[in-house]
Amino acid sequence: MAPSSRSSSAPCPPTPELKADRATLVALATPWGRGAIAVLRLSGPDARALVQTLSPGGPPWRPRRASLRRLVAGELVDEALVTWMPGPRSFTGEDVIELACHGNPVIVTALQAALVAAGARPARPGEFTRRAVENGRLDLIGAEGLAEVIAASTVEGVALARRALDGSLGAAASALRTALLDWTAELEARLDQPGGELELAEDAVVLAGLRAAAAQARQLADSWRAVRPRLEGARVALVGPVNAGKSSLFNQLVGEARALVSPQPGTTRDAIERRIQLGAVELLLIDTAGERDGAEDLEAAGLAIGRRLADQADLRLVVLPLDRAAPPLALPPGPPTLVVGSFADRPRHPAAPAVALAFSNADGQGIAALRDALEAALCQQPVAEAGAIVVNERQYALFVEIAEACEAAAQALEGWAGPAIAAEEATAALTALAELTGEDVREAVLDRLFARFCIGK
Ligand SMILES: Nc1nc2c(ncn2[C@@H]2O[C@H](COP(=O)(O)OP(=O)(O)OP(=O)(O)O)[C@@H](O)[C@H]2O)c(=O)[nH]1
Ligand SMILES: [Mg+2]
């Protein structure tokens, strides 16, 4: 999912050069537009004083209690339900105020402008959450879970994203860190005291420990394969020979005549994409150019695009016609495949290819079964009922890095490279773990991460 699709369409403040400033932030926390209510959120040391400038007097302020206040911003007058959540027991750890005013962009703009004139600074995307992380109210893993809770497109996706908030991934990372610290200390002791009087664990024990750490990191990384289609949707590429009925099937699945269909081989050149909901999964269906020998120029260029997209897909839906002899289709290694046979309305050719199921674009037979098979293929990997899972690409990539570093450490210890290299690799795994939890994470990574949030979150 493109990061920009998560952002609000409200006017975006320019990226300021300020880094760790403690200005009081203000932002619209609800979507930009007209609605019954809009919520403006403030966080920072001056939150209450700033609201007070718009609304002198009023009922006494009571923590975590909503109060009705008359707000005046120049010519504008509105009434808002105002909730004060003093820090540190607030979302950001700072003083937070939420103003629920009437949901008219004119009101929102006037109130926000008055608050900015009084000294608040418009928040950048994700800046409230970033402050929560900086103030220790949330760790980076929790912040990422929150982003997914907001972005998930299915109920199952929300449930999975919530699992990132329950602390299980943080606990798994912390257990991995403790183990790795032990093994790294063991390896370093071998360097400091070769043959010395320090009591060292057997190499075999350290080796087993490093391998177990690698396996655990690998298992966590692998959970992404099952979680991703449910959280972010899957990419499915239609591939096969020319005239197999790929575009016809694409049209069937998207529910409209979107792609050009003709008996002429090589009809599809440019890849066509459509997002569809298939049961519990949202998927991006991609129709590609059909394979044939002797394709020239533009057709060959189209084929190259299609092959690249198919290579990046989560699943290749291979369409082979059953009324012809099996074509010599050598699929390159890549994502998993589901092989289906079209033209089931016609007599089957004796040398027809073997397929998982038969269907017809002409009379619709087998299409419902094909949808089910497609959904099942995408959700084939069940997500474990409980326990740690990763919920985004960053976490996945870091666990792959950790697993590879642990494997390299084990190999070094076992082989000729020795404990010095093994210690280096184990330290690299620890660095990646620290980046995962946010203990040691570069500013640029944080900037990229929080830019994916909506403004006001
Ligand atoms: N009888 C029958 N005709 C089909 C079926 N599927 C497709 N056709 C016809 O076969 C021809 C080719 O269909 P397309 O959907 O364009 O095939 P394609 O695989 O997209 O072909 P390229 O874009 O050239 O790679 C069209 O005339 C379709 O109407 C089917 O299941 N049964
Ligand atoms: Mg086509």
Side-chain angles (χ1 to χ4, degrees):
M1 200 174 295
S4 56
S5 69
R6 298 173 186 217
S7 303
S8 146
S9 57
C12 187
T15 309
E17 54 303 320
L18 294 163
K19 285 288 173 209
D21 73 316
R22 288 296 104 193
T24 297
L25 306 174
V26 62
L28 180 65
T30 42
W32 181 251
R34 217 171 285 276
I37 285 167
V39 176
L40 273 167
R41 193 184 222 187
L42 292 102
S43 175
D46 303 327
R48 215 177 88 174
L50 287 169
V51 173
Q52 202 92 52
T53 60
L54 271 59
S55 169
W61 289 88
R62 287 202 278 163
R64 282 168 281 280
R65 291 283 176 82
S67 58
L68 195 64
R69 288 174 194 272
R70 197 176 127 89
L71 302 176
V72 182
E75 312 252 294
L76 178 107
V77 177
D78 192 31
E79 266 182 342
L81 206 56
V82 180
T83 316
W84 172 48
M85 287 152 282
R89 279 179 52 212
S90 68
F91 174 66
T92 59
E94 305 174 324
D95 275 10
V96 171
I97 288 201
E98 286 179 5
L99 293 178
C101 61
H102 290 105
N104 179 341
V106 173
I107 298 176
V108 169
T109 307
L111 289 178
Q112 185 160 358
L115 289 163
V116 169
R121 173 166 74 67
R124 299 189 289 272
E127 208 173 0
F128 290 89
T129 312
R130 186 171 184 155
R131 287 214 172 157
V133 171
E134 285 168 357
N135 293 329
R137 299 291 294 167
L138 201 64
D139 65 9
L140 208 50
I141 291 169
E144 288 175 310
L146 214 50
E148 298 303 331
V149 165
I150 294 168
S153 50
T154 60
V155 172
E156 199 186 3
V158 172
L160 287 174
R162 285 202 64 82
R163 290 224 338 233
L165 295 174
D166 73 7
S168 48
L169 185 60
S174 149
L176 205 53
R177 188 180 124 90
T178 309
L180 274 172
L181 280 172
D182 283 351
W183 304 132
T184 311
E186 274 291 339
L187 291 167
E188 276 171 359
R190 282 163 168 71
L191 307 178
D192 296 342
Q193 302 269 326
E197 54 279 5
L198 260 187
E199 223 176 276
L200 298 177
E202 302 246 341
D203 273 3
V205 176
V206 181
L207 208 56
L210 287 169
R211 293 231 162 93
Q216 212 208 334
R218 188 66 71 184
Q219 190 191 345
L220 283 163
D222 283 348
S223 69
W224 184 227
R225 213 176 309 154
V227 169
R228 195 186 134 189
R230 293 161 164 101
L231 217 49
E232 294 197 340
R235 300 167 71 88
V236 174
L238 281 155
V239 297
V242 287
N243 266 353
K246 299 180 299 298
S247 300
S248 307
L249 178 60
F250 179 87
N251 288 344
Q252 295 262 13
L253 293 174
V254 305
E256 62 170 307
R258 175 66 186 77
L260 206 56
V261 165
S262 95
Q264 206 176 310
T267 301
T268 306
R269 287 186 172 179
D270 245 350
I272 302 174
E273 302 183 344
R274 257 299 152 92
R275 202 164 275 286
I276 61 167
Q277 186 75 37
L278 198 72
V281 274
E282 186 183 272
L283 62 90
L284 186 71
L285 195 63
I286 308 162
D287 184 23
T288 69
E291 296 279 350
R292 71 162 161 173
D293 291 335
E296 279 173 7
D297 300 343
L298 278 180
E299 195 185 342
L303 271 168
I305 291 175
R307 285 187 197 129
R308 184 168 48 77
L309 289 171
D311 208 42
Q312 295 164 352
D314 295 291
L315 183 82
R316 289 176 292 179
L317 183 56
V318 186
V319 184
L320 303 174
L322 297 175
D323 64 340
R324 281 153 256 179
L329 188 74
L331 274 178
T337 57
L338 174 63
V339 185
V340 295
S342 52
F343 288 83
D345 54 293
R346 293 216 186 135
R348 194 183 180 108
H349 192 282
V355 293
L357 65 89
F359 73 98
S360 163
N361 286 308
D363 63 14
Q365 63 170 293
I367 297 278
L370 190 150
R371 278 178 201 276
D372 291 346
L374 189 53
E375 190 188 343
L378 291 170
C379 291
Q380 212 170 32
Q381 281 180 318
V383 184
E385 288 278 310
I389 52 168
V390 302
V391 296
N392 63 27
E393 200 75 42
R394 185 190 83 97
Q395 296 174 352
Y396 163 75
L398 282 170
F399 274 114
V400 169
E401 205 176 312
I402 294 163
E404 282 171 356
C406 291
E407 280 152 14
Q411 244 168 30
L413 184 60
E414 201 176 32
W416 55 267
I421 303 291
E424 236 171 72
E425 291 290 356
T427 308
L430 279 166
T431 308
L433 258 175
E435 189 171 324
L436 180 87
T437 51
E439 277 160 72
D440 176 20
V441 64
R442 278 163 296 132
E443 198 71 21
V445 174
L446 284 179
D447 286 347
R448 207 174 55 225
L449 200 101
F450 287 107
R452 300 175 69 220
F453 278 67
C454 333
I455 292 173
K457 186 64 214 171

